[in-house]
Amino acid sequence: MRIGIVCPYAWDVPGGVQFHIRDLAEHLLSRGHHVSVLAPADDGTPLPPYVVSAGRAVPVPYNGSVARLNFGFLSAARVRRWLQNGAFDVIHIHEPASPSLGLLSCWAARGPIVATFHTSNPRSRAMIAAYPILQPALEKISARIAVSEYARRTLVEHLGGDAVVIPNGVDVDFFARAEPKAAWQSGAAGAGDEGGAQPGATLGFIGRIDEPRKGLPVLMRALPAILAEVPDARLLVAGRGDEEEAVAALPPELRRHVEFLGMVSDEDKARLLRSVDLYAAPNTGGESFGIILVEAMSAGAAVLASDLDAFAQVLDQGQAGELFANEDADALATAAVRLLRDPARLAELRERGSRHVRRFDWSTVGADILAVYETVTEGAEPGRSVAADEPAGRTAQDYGG
């Protein structure tokens, strides 16, 4: 099958949607399909051979964060060229309601279209206001996928229609096979402790430091209470952002318990998750799924997460990982201390998580997505591929040109 996938966000800026698209493309390629991904990318960005650049993206506030999107007349022309050259049996558009390549592709394409909705934002005034503009494009979609029940709910409430829920996928074995790193495990030397032994527990956090909704400030507020009860604990933080600002609220004598690793490779992320005693996910909102929780469980880490609806669903309502009250630093500290003092409970969470996470493996998720592709292409005219189509009356100004 010839499959075209549209990525709305800049390929060179790490993010959950980009990782999902990358892994889906590579899974489909491994199954013998032809795959091309259209994505925003700055000039000079190294791209995998299956990615086609749609040009440079610009930062736009979106869903409580800042997304790098690509929209305009030049982008529209590149979308049409990609569609014409691709001769795809189906195109798979991610986030078609965002002002980026997905919406442009919906406008331009004619043929079987599958769309995946990642966003969970039940109070999106922008989406409600934009509905009259989005409706003609969204009506061309043949099948809709939501990555969680909460993303599906956002779709239903704001845009109408419905979607099948297929979660984000993870290569479970990639994380399960990772080798722990001794320096990141309990008993390794702590950051700034003059090389002395640090036999206590290790907590982990992965996420953008400067983005409040990822929850690092909540974890930092909880840290003094955790260290008061587990004084030899330490926190490993992986992600980009201002490290000095992140620890500014901590008493100076406690800052040595926090070690910043900066941006880490996929391999080191897996090793980090294999090394920690407890993975903390204190995210405060704007999450439609929680791929990092799936990655942590795949690596065999015990997970403690805020009780966001999407996180509760991923963690089987607290059976595969523990939950604490969102934005409550005291609740986070209490739960973390209890777990770090209870090796048997940590082992139980690791075992339950490792069993539960198999449902998110690409062997399952990829087959479900392929089944959707096959459904929408069954009724297509034999020999006809997805083509570029200019709807009547649409002009360059409609594309933002």
Side-chain angles (χ1 to χ4, degrees):
M1 187 178 293
R2 295 183 65 84
I3 302 163
I5 302 177
V6 180
C7 176
Y9 307 135
W11 192 263
D12 45 347
V13 178
V17 174
Q18 295 94 313
F19 292 151
H20 171 84
I21 291 170
R22 178 200 64 189
D23 292 349
L24 171 60
E26 293 179 358
H27 172 77
L28 294 171
L29 286 165
S30 74
R31 298 288 301 274
H33 299 281
H34 172 90
V35 180
S36 176
V37 175
L38 182 69
D42 287 347
D43 295 338
T45 299
L47 298 174
Y50 56 83
V51 175
V52 175
S53 173
R56 190 172 187 177
V58 296
V60 176
Y62 184 70
N63 192 33
S65 181
V66 176
R68 293 182 62 82
L69 305 173
N70 184 298
F71 199 77
F73 182 77
L74 179 60
S75 302
R78 291 182 175 181
V79 166
R80 290 176 56 76
R81 187 182 312 121
W82 176 74
L83 289 170
Q84 291 167 345
N85 294 339
F88 302 117
D89 298 306
V90 61
I91 62 168
H92 186 172
I93 298 171
H94 291 257
E95 296 289 48
S98 68
S100 190
L101 295 178
L103 183 55
L104 293 176
S105 299
C106 270
W107 276 335
R110 180 182 72 250
I113 300 173
V114 174
T116 289
F117 295 81
H118 296 262
T119 300
S120 174
N121 187 357
R123 294 175 296 277
S124 177
R125 296 178 181 174
M127 194 176 290
I128 294 172
Y131 178 71
I133 301 172
L134 299 173
Q135 185 180 14
L138 298 178
E139 286 177 348
K140 300 173 73 174
I141 294 170
S142 310
R144 303 178 182 196
I145 296 170
V147 299
S148 69
E149 178 58 33
Y150 307 99
R152 188 194 73 84
R153 185 182 303 168
T154 297
L155 167 64
V156 171
E157 292 179 356
H158 293 89
L159 302 177
D162 208 341
V164 59
V165 176
I166 301 177
N168 288 318
V170 164
D171 183 351
V172 172
D173 288 337
F174 172 79
F175 290 90
R177 289 193 304 262
E179 290 292 330
K181 187 172 180 177
W184 292 339
Q185 291 180 290
S186 302
D193 64 355
E194 306 300 330
Q198 184 129 341
T202 301
L203 293 90
F205 171 90
I206 299 174
R208 292 185 288 275
I209 296 172
D210 293 338
E211 191 166 342
R213 73 183 181 95
K214 295 301 178 183
L216 186 58
V218 179
L219 183 52
M220 288 297 180
R221 291 200 302 272
L223 198 56
I226 295 172
L227 292 171
E229 299 295 330
V230 189
D232 47 7
R234 63 175 175 157
L235 170 65
L236 302 180
V237 177
R240 65 175 66 191
D242 189 327
E243 299 172 6
E244 292 186 3
E245 182 178 345
V247 297
L250 278 181
E253 66 273 14
L254 298 183
R255 294 176 189 175
R256 68 182 182 87
H257 292 269
V258 182
E259 182 176 348
F260 290 96
L261 307 177
M263 292 295 295
V264 295
S265 65
D266 288 344
E267 290 74 16
D268 278 343
K269 176 168 68 171
R271 295 186 71 187
L272 174 60
L273 293 171
R274 287 281 289 166
S275 301
V276 300
D277 297 294
L278 181 64
Y279 182 77
N283 308 51
T284 62
E287 306 292 344
S288 63
F289 185 69
I291 195 69
I292 187 61
L293 307 184
V294 179
E295 293 171 341
M297 288 188 288
S298 298
V303 174
L304 173 62
S306 55
D307 62 353
L308 301 176
D309 287 344
F311 282 9
Q313 181 178 342
V314 168
L315 295 177
D316 196 20
Q317 305 304 318
Q319 296 301 305
E322 291 216 358
L323 300 164
F324 68 92
N326 185 24
E327 298 192 65
D328 189 334
D330 292 336
L332 169 55
T334 299
V337 168
R338 174 172 47 79
L339 289 171
L340 294 176
R341 286 178 165 176
D342 189 350
R345 176 58 177 161
L346 288 176
E348 180 185 15
L349 287 177
R350 286 193 291 268
E351 194 273 333
R352 286 186 176 183
S354 295
R355 285 202 319 266
H356 174 67
V357 79
R358 283 290 163 184
R359 71 190 62 190
F360 302 107
D361 188 69
W362 275 114
S363 60
T364 298
V365 173
D368 289 344
I369 293 174
L370 271 171
V372 175
Y373 294 168
E374 291 164 0
T375 298
V376 301
T377 56
E378 279 176 1
E381 183 179 337
R384 286 291 297 274
S385 59
V386 176
D389 179 28
E390 188 70 60
R394 192 168 298 284
T395 68
Q397 283 71 31
D398 296 313
Y399 290 121

